[in-house]
Amino acid sequence: MATNLEEQKQNSSSSTINEEREQPNNQPDLEKQVTQATSIIPVPKFPETDLSQGLVGWDGQDDPENPQNFAAGKKWALLALISAFTLISPLASSMFSPAVVYMAEEFHETNETILSFTVSIYLVGYVFGPLFLAPLSEIFGRRVVLSASNWFFVVWQIGCALAKNIETLIVCRLFAGIGGSACITLGAGVVADLFPIEMRGRATSIWSMGPLIGPVIGPIAGGFLGEEVSWQWIFWLLLIAGGAMQLGIEVLNKETYAPVLIKWKTAKLSKELNRNDLKSAYDIGREPLSDGQILKRSLVRPVLLLFKSPIVALLSLYMSLVYGLLYLFFTTISDVFTSNYGFTVGLSGLAYLGIGIGFFVGLMIIALTNDRIVKKLTAQNNGKFEPEMRLPTMIMFSCILPISFFWYGWTADKHVFWIVPIIGMFPFGVGMMGVFMPIQTYIIDCYPAYAASANATLTATRSLVGAFLPLAGPAMFQSLGLGWGNSLLGFLALAFVPLPIIFTKFGKQIRERWTIDLEGSKK
């Protein structure tokens, strides 16, 4: 139904004035404000169709085709589809780790750095993939980019399984990582597409379960597969699981990116009405660009965020440090429990459960508290939401995170009973979740229209560190030992504790001082 834009503005203004007049002088109590979440968090106004002005948008604020208006069950089902593959892809990053020894025997490879690189090269794919897959999803839509990338990931598992030398295996792992990075990157965009601010904390927690729990489950399954069958079967299993999952996604997945949906609607109406003057309402205020210019601008967007937004750069740095510490942890666990405690390769994978249980507990804490804290802080701020309200809990979790390095490092060094170092990994898992989840939700809140590109910046930087930092792990631990080597990492984590305090206190000033034009609007 066509709607006059000028009339909408007048109605909106008068509605605001009436609301202000009706507002009682005394503020309602805080508890009442917190429970009425939808009235606390501002509801965005969606662009509507106005054919008299040549604009195509949604058919009203309650248009059922708008992903923000999908039924709750449909929203969670779509997010579950994306989340399901985010378990398969990160699983591939670490599943091969405990079985490397069997591959080394077959290919007669003794260089420890090369062997470590066959595992970490997968994360190099996570560096390059997000930088072009996220922008492409903001041009062509989430669905087609996710589908193509997931199949790309699945196909390269065949190359890994059939590799006859270590060089071929490394190349295939790299391309598999590029394809597997799509679900890790585009999930942030889907959360922004589907969910309002007051639900994004829980949605982000569910979507992030796979990327953080997958690398923990991987060594457990990979250790037993490599020991009982063969290292090649790790990749055949990834092929079967990934292919079956993607078949389900092909059938059930839907496009969720609003600008692309309205672009399709504009093309359809232009053809039906035989009008060439129609324009997407999401393009209002943007300078007209050719397809090539749009592609170029979209591809540089993640890089712009990294180098021109200090708050994004600082958050990326902190996430990268924590992610690098996780993978340095991974470099010692299997060897410690096979050498010091006499575990088999398969059983050594179970030692990762310490971190895994910590991840799950941290995830539950964030899922249950993050949105509630945001509602409370918004109420205290006279109903004005600010993205920095996601960050205060990071301070507590950043203090928990270093505990594991001292606990695990010295108990493993002194050969204390095996359960003690495993329990020692638990605080790191809790702390890492408590740091990662608020940052990712914060980025979505800051750049909802370009959440995929913003998340691509975080994913690329942390994956770069996660891929190469662990290569220094064996030499460091050989030189310093388990106790002092892990203590060094613990002191490093402690040194970065002030960063969450800076983010919380000065994040808003930093964000507002260094703004970036990601829309391509006219000046």
Side-chain angles (χ1 to χ4, degrees):
M1 186 166 121
T3 308
N4 186 282
L5 289 179
E6 205 58 47
E7 186 178 324
Q8 288 177 33
K9 292 178 182 176
Q10 292 173 359
N11 291 340
S12 177
S13 300
S14 61
S15 173
T16 304
I17 293 170
N18 290 334
E19 287 173 5
E20 290 174 354
R21 287 175 180 169
E22 293 169 7
Q23 183 72 23
N25 292 329
N26 58 319
Q27 291 288 330
D29 61 64
L30 181 60
E31 185 178 353
K32 185 176 180 181
Q33 286 187 338
V34 174
T35 55
Q36 293 175 340
T38 54
S39 64
I40 292 171
I41 308 289
V43 179
K45 190 162 181 67
F46 308 117
E48 296 185 9
T49 296
D50 185 359
L51 294 179
S52 65
Q53 304 248 348
L55 295 175
V56 178
W58 301 109
D59 296 336
Q61 297 301 298
D62 297 323
D63 188 343
E65 296 300 315
N66 185 343
Q68 288 275 334
N69 295 328
F70 285 174
K74 186 175 183 180
K75 287 184 179 183
W76 291 110
L78 287 172
L79 183 65
L81 287 173
I82 308 296
S83 301
F85 211 93
T86 62
L87 178 64
I88 302 294
S89 175
L91 197 70
S93 70
S94 62
M95 196 172 180
F96 182 53
S97 179
V100 163
V101 290
Y102 303 112
M103 181 274 294
E105 289 177 7
E106 184 171 328
F107 291 156
H108 308 291
E109 182 60 61
T110 57
N111 189 313
E112 288 293 332
T113 303
I114 295 295
L115 293 176
S116 296
F117 194 57
T118 59
V119 177
S120 62
I121 188 64
Y122 185 84
L123 290 180
V124 178
Y126 276 22
V127 176
F128 296 107
L131 296 179
F132 63 88
L133 292 176
L136 287 176
S137 78
E138 292 161 355
I139 299 173
F140 303 108
R142 316 288 191 205
R143 191 181 189 281
V144 63
V145 175
L146 182 69
S147 178
S149 300
N150 286 353
W151 284 121
F152 192 77
F153 163 85
V154 169
V155 167
W156 283 103
Q157 302 308 316
I158 301 174
C160 293
L162 298 178
K164 299 301 181 185
N165 54 63
I166 201 164
E167 293 82 6
T168 303
L169 180 61
I170 288 173
V171 171
C172 291
R173 290 268 293 165
L174 171 64
F175 284 115
I178 291 174
S181 69
C183 55
I184 307 296
T185 308
L186 304 190
V190 173
V191 169
D193 296 342
L194 293 174
F195 295 96
I197 292 169
E198 67 271 11
M199 296 180 67
R200 285 178 188 163
R202 185 183 303 174
T204 304
S205 298
I206 292 173
W207 159 64
S208 299
M209 189 181 297
L212 291 174
I213 294 181
V216 175
I217 299 175
I220 299 173
F224 285 111
L225 269 176
E227 187 176 57
E228 301 297 331
V229 190
S230 70
W231 64 266
Q232 287 92 343
W233 259 98
I234 292 172
F235 301 109
W236 291 125
L237 181 62
L238 289 170
L239 170 71
I240 295 167
M245 191 69 67
Q246 183 53 32
L247 280 175
I249 292 174
E250 289 289 356
V251 174
L252 301 172
N253 200 14
K254 286 184 172 293
E255 182 55 55
T256 61
Y257 191 49
V260 168
L261 291 170
I262 295 303
K263 180 182 176 182
W264 294 348
K265 182 179 179 181
T266 303
K268 181 181 178 183
L269 285 175
S270 296
K271 185 176 180 180
E272 291 176 351
L273 302 176
N274 196 25
R275 290 178 59 175
N276 56 13
D277 64 320
L278 297 183
K279 183 179 181 181
S280 168
Y282 282 96
D283 291 334
I284 297 174
R286 297 183 186 178
E287 57 180 300
L289 299 171
S290 66
D291 290 343
Q293 289 174 316
I294 293 172
L295 183 61
K296 181 180 177 181
R297 176 166 287 177
S298 299
L299 291 175
V300 301
R301 195 173 287 135
V303 181
L304 282 177
L305 282 166
L306 180 62
F307 290 103
K308 288 195 173 184
S309 172
I311 192 67
V312 173
L314 287 170
L315 289 170
S316 298
L317 173 67
Y318 188 54
M319 284 190 80
S320 299
L321 168 77
V322 176
Y323 201 64
L325 293 176
L326 171 69
Y327 275 85
L328 277 170
F329 238 146
F330 283 176
T331 62
T332 66
I333 292 174
S334 182
D335 183 60
V336 163
F337 284 91
T338 52
S339 302
N340 292 8
Y341 295 100
F343 283 28
T344 64
V345 173
L347 285 176
S348 68
L350 295 175
Y352 290 82
L353 286 174
I355 292 180
I357 295 171
F359 280 162
F360 184 75
V361 171
L363 181 79
M364 293 302 296
I365 293 172
I366 292 297
L368 294 174
T369 62
N370 193 251
D371 289 331
R372 293 181 182 180
I373 291 171
V374 166
K375 294 171 190 176
K376 182 176 180 179
L377 293 176
T378 303
Q380 292 174 343
N381 197 35
N382 297 320
K384 183 181 179 183
F385 167 76
E386 293 173 354
E388 285 71 26
M389 293 171 180
R390 298 283 183 191
L391 304 180
T393 53
M394 283 177 58
I395 300 171
M396 176 188 69
F397 285 104
S398 67
C399 295
I400 295 173
L401 197 147
I403 296 172
S404 287
F405 294 103
F406 303 103
W407 183 342
Y408 163 78
W410 287 108
T411 54
D413 185 78
K414 302 303 180 184
H415 294 213
V416 179
F417 187 59
W418 58 268
I419 194 66
V420 179
I422 291 178
I423 295 173
M425 302 177 207
F426 175 82
F428 181 86
V430 175
M432 185 172 172
M433 274 291 187
V435 167
F436 267 45
M437 295 302 96
I439 291 177
Q440 289 187 313
T441 314
Y442 170 79
I443 289 294
I444 293 171
D445 289 339
C446 287
Y447 306 100
Y450 300 109
S453 286
N455 188 61
T457 306
L458 299 178
T459 303
T461 50
R462 74 171 184 253
S463 298
L464 184 65
V465 174
F468 291 105
L469 187 60
L471 298 180
M476 181 187 73
F477 288 111
Q478 187 175 3
S479 175
L480 298 177
L482 281 173
W484 283 112
N486 279 285
S487 294
L488 176 63
L489 300 179
F491 288 126
L492 186 61
L494 279 173
F496 277 82
V497 166
L499 269 183
I501 301 174
I502 294 172
F503 298 148
T504 302
K505 292 196 69 173
F506 305 107
K508 180 183 177 182
Q509 294 94 309
I510 297 172
R511 173 173 56 86
E512 292 180 346
R513 183 174 178 181
W514 284 278
T515 58
I516 310 173
D517 176 26
L518 298 176
E519 299 281 349
S521 56
K522 292 181 179 180
K523 303 295 182 188

